[in-house]
Amino acid sequence: MRLDIFTLFPEAFEWFSGQRHVQNAIREGSELRLINYRDTTPLGAGQVDDTPYGGGSGMVLRVDVVDAALKAAYGEQLAGRRIVLLAPSGRMFDEELASELAAEPDLTLLCGRYEGVDERVRDHLVTDTVSIGRYVLSGGELPAMVISDAVLRKLPGSLGAPDGAVEESFSEALGGAPEYPHYTRPSSYRGWDVPDVLVSGDHERVREWRRERSRERATEPPGTRSAGH
Ligand SMILES: C[S@@+](CC[C@H](N)C(=O)[O-])C[C@H]1O[C@@H](n2cnc3c(N)ncnc32)[C@H](O)[C@@H]1O
């Protein structure tokens, strides 16, 4: 996959770019480019935003600046490319959309900042508008990392273990249900014991127990388990 992230703050991605699964994906042939809108702005003094028509607070990322950045990266060849604008009001990002995007050979993420992005970007330059939740962050950088992380870890070879992402929450292997619980040593801690079946060595029973727990989790309201203290 060729993944391009357009941002005013490429340095925000330093930590993310160094993560092992991202490095693995790159080693396996993927590309991650961080492109600064400011580098290709047609305006003087590195200007990228302007005040909103109609008044109001904040600055808006300009459509000509975004268009110039896309043209500098792709020429006139936008057709066929998946270009995603990050916005709180977009399509909700979930595992299904992560899989959909992971199947793309080329993916572009556009990060907004300030008050947002001129609406003509949404209307004319992008194929999708995606939100990572119904709340407002200060910029598209964290959403871009969330999406890139979820997408890149689906690419072959990005996780150390070949089957690492097969049986995960919401995967096909689990019928879209959340993953079953995991335990590790010690087998008993403060009287909290690991379920006997997991230390039984009976792989078929373990598989069945996991499938049941996963199905069970699919029917309980998320995050409602009591802490029990
Ligand atoms: C401060 S926000 C703009 C919020 C906008 N004024 C509104 O009320 O919807 C600046 C940028 O952060 C990004 N952003 C903030 N929250 C987001 C979310 N929940 N999902 C995706 N992107 C988000 C978008 O790129 C947005 O253009």
Side-chain angles (χ1 to χ4, degrees):
M1 165 177 285
R2 282 178 301 266
L3 172 58
D4 290 342
I5 302 176
F6 288 71
T7 171
L8 288 169
F9 300 97
E11 66 280 4
F13 293 84
E14 256 166 47
W15 169 83
F16 176 73
S17 308
Q19 291 302 292
R20 186 174 310 161
H21 63 292
V22 177
Q23 286 296 312
N24 285 346
I26 291 169
R27 206 169 307 117
E28 293 292 320
S30 289
E31 279 174 36
L32 171 61
R33 287 198 300 169
L34 297 163
I35 298 169
N36 194 334
Y37 298 111
R38 224 179 279 283
D39 290 344
T40 50
T41 178
L43 309 172
Q47 185 189 349
V48 291
D49 54 5
D50 225 317
T51 52
Y53 280 122
S57 61
M59 299 293 275
V60 177
L61 192 59
R62 287 175 53 136
V63 61
D64 49 353
V65 169
V66 176
D67 196 27
L70 290 171
K71 281 213 176 86
Y74 310 125
E76 300 294 332
Q77 308 301 311
L78 291 189
R81 173 174 283 273
R82 198 82 183 251
I83 303 182
V84 175
L85 174 67
L86 300 163
S89 57
R91 170 179 170 188
M92 199 59 70
F93 187 65
D94 59 11
E95 193 66 13
E96 193 188 334
L97 182 51
S99 298
E100 198 180 307
L101 296 179
E104 294 286 342
D106 300 305
L107 177 62
T108 297
L109 302 178
L110 301 184
C111 302
R113 267 273 156 179
Y114 318 122
E115 195 51 38
V117 179
D118 188 298
E119 190 66 13
R120 289 166 289 184
V121 170
R122 194 173 184 151
D123 292 342
H124 302 288
L125 296 176
V126 305
T127 56
D128 304 71
T129 305
V130 172
S131 168
I132 63 158
R134 294 291 185 247
Y135 44 81
V136 179
L137 299 166
S138 305
E141 287 71 24
L142 290 172
M145 279 184 245
V146 167
I147 293 171
S148 304
D149 192 296
V151 166
L152 288 177
R153 72 197 306 285
K154 286 183 179 293
L155 301 184
S158 74
L159 299 182
D163 57 353
V166 173
E167 228 177 59
E168 278 196 317
S169 289
F170 320 120
S171 61
E172 262 177 48
L174 294 178
E179 201 190 34
Y180 42 79
H182 293 288
Y183 297 86
T184 186
R185 292 181 182 82
S187 62
S188 184
Y189 180 72
R190 293 177 57 188
W192 306 329
D193 295 334
V194 169
D196 288 340
V197 59
L198 295 181
V199 289
S200 68
D202 184 336
H203 299 302
E204 190 43 50
R205 275 183 63 217
V206 169
R207 253 194 304 279
E208 187 46 39
W209 181 89
R210 287 178 165 169
R211 273 196 295 264
E212 272 173 29
R213 297 291 81 72
S214 169
R215 282 195 292 266
E216 215 169 74
R217 283 191 161 172
T219 58
E220 56 186 34
T224 53
R225 186 104 27 121
S226 113
H229 48 66

